[in-house]
Amino acid sequence: MLAASAVVLALVAPAAEAGAQTSTPPGTLVTLTGDQPGEGYGWAASELADIDGDGAAEVIIGNPFHTDAAGTFSGHTDVRSALTGDVIYRFIGRPGELHGYAIAAAGDVNGDRAADFIAGAPGAALSCGNNQQAGRAYVYSGADGSTLLTLDGEAAGDQFGGAVGSAGDVDRDGRADLLIGAPCFDGVGADSGKAYVVSGRTGRVLRSYAGRAAGDHFGIGIAPAGLVDRDHDLDHIVGASDAGTGDRGLAYVFSGLTGRQLVVLDGGPDTVDLGWFFVAGLGDLNGDKRGDLYVGDFNGGPGGDGRGLAFVFSGKSGAVLHQFEGDAPGDGAGPGRYAGDVDGDGRNDVAVGSYLSSAGAPQAGLVKVYSGDTGALLRTYVSTVAGENLGFDAVGLGDVDGDGHADLALTAASGDRVYIVSSTAGG
């Protein structure tokens, strides 16, 4: 059982500080920067409902490779106004724990009607077996920044907190509950992985989902799936990047009400690490009154060429509704999820980052926004800053600047920058 006390494994470790910034993506409203070169500012980003009363969403930014005075990766997590860029809260991790490796909005955990949030601190990156920390997750109050829960993994090396998300109100106590992944948990075999549904009120484990085989890394991606089975309870999606045929990866969708497995998502023979970190609910895109799903694979591509793949799956059948891929081998497409309604058709659109793309400059990166309905390309944001890796993460924030159109957070973690951009711009 987890102890209550007072995303993902990594894509690639961030490079040293990118060269001097020469431009920003089209439509940039605000540029947010880290305070320490190479800290991975923007390793992960998430939207957070307005907590400072300015009428716009906030953005949570994870920076797991921030180093402390002793040189360990303590990490830190920022909550910043997407409108002004002001830092609302900053949380510094303990020595070596990689605070901010995974972050997410948590919903209202303590019943004060303010949006709360969760940060994972798994203690390691890149692979299982390279540390002996159990991992940890912190839940913070959106109202005042106080720590509501500190949750610890079960056993050394689990990397608990490698992925985090909101579970909805599973136990019907009026408080939001939590999803936490431990991809290196040794269950049915070494590193089979595990995912937990945890009470937001008490920190007690309400339910767990388990990997099927040794080495599955189940729990390496985790998120609310939306309303997939039409029972009006938020369902859950869990990625297992080395599960299934050829260890290519699968994503599993579970009922939030009962824990029953609803559907298994398989991207086919060109996938390599499907479900590593980037899984999400998208809402109903095809009009069948079931929530549909996003799953990325930044290492996938024909023959394993690393161009990257991103899928939109039907929540009802598991069929692929849309498939997107990088423009060239090695582009690393797949980081991303929902963009908000960019084209005004009443349905979520999809943001897909290609963080290693050299379209604008060597490994500068880019982000494309596609219609969630038709799959048509709507916007392209290309970086011209060599090595900054734009598209390391990408997520919709709603209408930040009040112009009636959706805006987005696009991260460039190797350049230690996060851009808030307007969806009315882009190529």
Side-chain angles (χ1 to χ4, degrees):
M1 175 173 283
L2 304 186
S5 60
V7 45
V8 181
L9 304 181
L11 281 75
V12 293
E17 185 179 21
Q21 182 175 349
T22 59
S23 66
T24 61
T28 295
L29 304 172
V30 181
T31 300
L32 311 175
T33 58
D35 59 2
Q36 185 183 91
E39 70 179 354
Y41 198 81
W43 181 265
S46 178
E47 84 295 348
L48 181 68
D50 181 22
I51 59 173
D52 63 0
D54 64 4
E58 326 304 351
V59 58
I60 314 168
I61 303 170
N63 322 289
F65 299 101
H66 182 94
T67 56
D68 57 22
T72 75
F73 290 137
S74 55
H76 76 88
T77 298
D78 284 355
V79 177
R80 299 182 70 158
S81 166
L83 181 63
T84 67
D86 292 344
V87 175
I88 300 171
Y89 301 121
R90 173 164 291 179
F91 305 95
I92 306 296
R94 302 178 189 180
E97 74 175 1
L98 278 71
H99 195 288
Y101 190 89
I103 44 85
D108 182 8
V109 170
N110 60 351
D112 64 358
R113 300 186 179 181
D116 304 313
F117 48 98
I118 181 170
L126 296 177
S127 65
C128 297
N130 63 351
N131 87 316
Q132 289 303 306
Q133 295 189 46
R136 183 172 292 121
Y138 299 91
V139 184
Y140 298 106
S141 164
D144 61 15
S146 61
T147 302
L148 301 177
L149 291 169
T150 301
L151 303 164
D152 293 318
E154 292 188 66
D158 281 0
Q159 295 191 19
F160 177 83
V164 296
S166 175
D169 184 7
V170 173
D171 57 3
R172 299 183 182 275
D173 65 354
R175 309 284 183 88
D177 300 314
L178 309 161
L179 294 169
I180 305 173
C184 300
F185 176 86
D186 296 338
V188 296
D191 306 330
S192 56
K194 190 173 183 179
Y196 302 82
V197 181
V198 178
S199 167
R201 181 191 290 268
T202 67
R204 181 175 63 89
V205 175
L206 302 174
R207 178 190 303 154
S208 63
Y209 309 117
R212 307 309 198 248
D216 275 3
H217 299 126
F218 182 93
I220 201 168
I222 200 166
L227 305 178
V228 175
D229 60 2
R230 299 180 63 184
D231 65 2
H232 305 294
D233 282 78
L234 192 66
D235 300 313
H236 308 148
I237 181 169
V238 182
S241 62
D242 291 289
T245 302
D247 298 336
R248 298 192 312 260
L250 300 168
Y252 301 82
V253 183
F254 299 94
S255 165
L257 177 63
T258 67
R260 179 175 63 91
Q261 181 178 296
L262 301 176
V263 66
V264 180
L265 308 176
D266 185 339
D270 290 337
T271 56
V272 174
D273 286 305
L274 187 73
W276 190 345
F277 203 77
F278 298 103
V279 298
L282 294 172
D284 179 14
L285 302 186
N286 61 353
D288 65 359
K289 299 183 179 179
R290 304 287 185 95
D292 301 312
L293 296 315
Y294 179 92
V295 186
D297 179 0
F298 49 84
N299 285 326
D305 69 2
R307 70 183 55 232
L309 302 169
F311 299 88
V312 176
F313 290 99
S314 164
K316 181 178 182 179
S317 67
V320 175
L321 301 178
H322 306 301
Q323 178 176 330
F324 311 112
E325 62 183 52
D327 296 326
D331 273 2
R337 50 204 177 280
Y338 50 85
D341 183 9
V342 170
D343 58 5
D345 67 357
R347 295 181 181 177
N348 246 329
D349 299 311
V350 182
V352 181
S354 291
Y355 74 109
L356 294 174
S357 169
S358 296
Q363 297 193 342
L366 62 79
V367 176
K368 294 185 177 183
V369 179
Y370 298 93
S371 165
D373 181 19
T374 69
L377 179 63
L378 302 175
R379 304 283 187 273
T380 303
Y381 301 85
V382 180
S383 171
T384 58
V385 181
E388 77 166 355
N389 295 162
L390 182 72
F392 209 88
D393 201 356
V395 64
L397 297 175
D399 182 9
V400 172
D401 59 359
D403 67 354
H405 298 279
D407 302 309
L408 303 97
L410 312 181
T411 83
S414 292
D416 294 308
R417 286 183 285 270
V418 176
Y419 302 100
I420 311 302
V421 302
S422 168
S423 71
T424 60

